[in-house]
Amino acid sequence: MKHADIGKLDKSQARHVWDVAEYCRRSGINKAEERRLIRVLGRYASSHELQMNVVRPQTRVR
C-alpha cells in the first residue's frame, strides 16, 4: 500500500459519501428499503449509488 499525499490529490474527483441510514432518514425512505440498501451497498455509499438503487413506487398508472 502506498502513502497518498493529501496535497497532491485531485479534488475534482471527490464525491460526497453518505451514511445510508442518514440518507434514508432525510429522504423519507422507509425502514424496509433502508435495510435493503444497507444490504446492497453497505453502511456508506455515494449519493449517485443511493439514487440509482432506491426503489420508489410508481406514482402514475396509465
Side-chain angles (χ1 to χ4, degrees):
M1 182 184 286
K2 286 186 173 181
H3 174 74
D5 184 15
I6 294 174
K8 294 180 181 178
L9 292 177
D10 182 21
K11 291 180 175 64
S12 66
Q13 297 268 330
R15 290 184 171 82
H16 187 264
V17 176
W18 284 91
D19 175 22
V20 174
E22 175 77 11
Y23 179 84
C24 291
R25 186 179 59 79
R26 287 185 180 205
S27 301
I29 296 170
N30 62 27
K31 288 290 186 183
E33 182 67 12
E34 177 184 334
R35 282 191 302 272
R36 189 189 71 79
L37 286 171
I38 290 173
R39 215 177 324 121
V40 170
L41 301 171
R43 217 39 214 158
Y44 300 97
S46 70
S47 56
H48 183 259
E49 289 173 324
L50 286 162
Q51 290 169 359
M52 293 296 110
N53 284 289
V54 169
V55 176
R56 302 225 184 242
Q58 281 188 326
T59 56
R60 193 170 127 180
V61 179
R62 290 186 162 185

